[in-house]
Amino acid sequence: FRFHHVSTDEVFGSIEGQSKFSEKSPYSPNSPYSATKAASDHLVKSWKSTYGFPVSVSNCSNNYGPWQKPDKLIPLTIYKAIKNEFIPIYGAGENIRDWLFVEDHVEAILHIAFKASKGSSYCVGGCNELSNINIVKMICNFLDKKLPKSDNYQKQITFVNDRPGHDFRYAIDNSLIFDELGWEPNYSFKEGLNLTIDWYLNNMKWCENVLNN
């Protein structure tokens, strides 16, 4: 029996320069939202310390891929672009995230669940640090080729007020999970993004149903 807790890099707060989060990074959440996630990590680990509960924990970077709710950055951008609506971006769009394709994340979880020792923790990243504005522009450029129209899709980009407690940069060091469990991401960001865009183009009705319910 194993209880695996899937957490996030948000619990470590924002990171500067060229540094990256690791399993030794201190917890420093900057919003109530990320603080609750940090609290869940501590709760799970306390069960291991107090009762010997067989836990493992992973802190992953931003996920993307098919079936993601369309209020998240990548599917929302695709949806808004196709619907010829404004594509909203927080602040100046310069916030940086490390993006992890969902199938790579699933593989990492399986590696940890079946290979890792009880009580272990691993940081899981996609090795794809990109700003929000660059991601949105990549999607627009892909759609310009896939579904061309009179104006390019980047003209739909609009900048909106940044959200409170919005961390500037996340980045993950994957070395421990690679060294101990042999896991590393299989998908480049471009490859994963192209698969993701194609999936949403074929499932726009699903997006509409989710957004309207």
Side-chain angles (χ1 to χ4, degrees), residues 126-145:
C127 303
N128 297 301
E129 287 185 58
L130 293 161
S131 68
N132 290 344
I133 186 63
N134 282 342
I135 287 176
V136 171
K137 286 180 178 179
M138 287 175 70
I139 294 171
C140 289
N141 291 341
F142 182 92
L143 292 174
D144 283 336
K145 298 175 183 177

Side-chain angles (χ1 to χ4, degrees), residues 17-71:
Q18 298 301 310
S19 301
K20 294 186 178 184
F21 297 132
S22 73
E23 293 75 12
K24 296 181 180 179
S25 296
Y27 279 68
S28 184
N30 287 317
S31 71
Y33 176 73
S34 56
T36 60
K37 295 184 177 185
S40 70
D41 287 16
H42 295 316
L43 180 62
V44 167
K45 292 175 182 179
S46 73
W47 272 79
K48 190 265 180 186
S49 299
T50 304
Y51 302 111
F53 200 62
V55 306
S56 54
V57 176
S58 58
N59 295 90
C60 73
S61 59
N62 277 40
N63 278 212
Y64 70 100
W67 296 105
Q68 188 173 37
K69 288 187 67 175
D71 59 344

Side-chain angles (χ1 to χ4, degrees), residues 89-96 131-134 159:
I89 300 181
Y90 286 126
E94 295 176 351
N95 300 72
I96 296 170
S131 68
N132 290 344
I133 186 63
N134 282 342
F159 296 96

Side-chain angles (χ1 to χ4, degrees), residues 68-84:
Q68 188 173 37
K69 288 187 67 175
D71 59 344
K72 301 299 183 182
L73 177 65
I74 290 176
L76 182 66
T77 297
I78 299 167
Y79 181 83
K80 293 288 189 180
I82 297 302
K83 291 293 184 179
N84 203 32

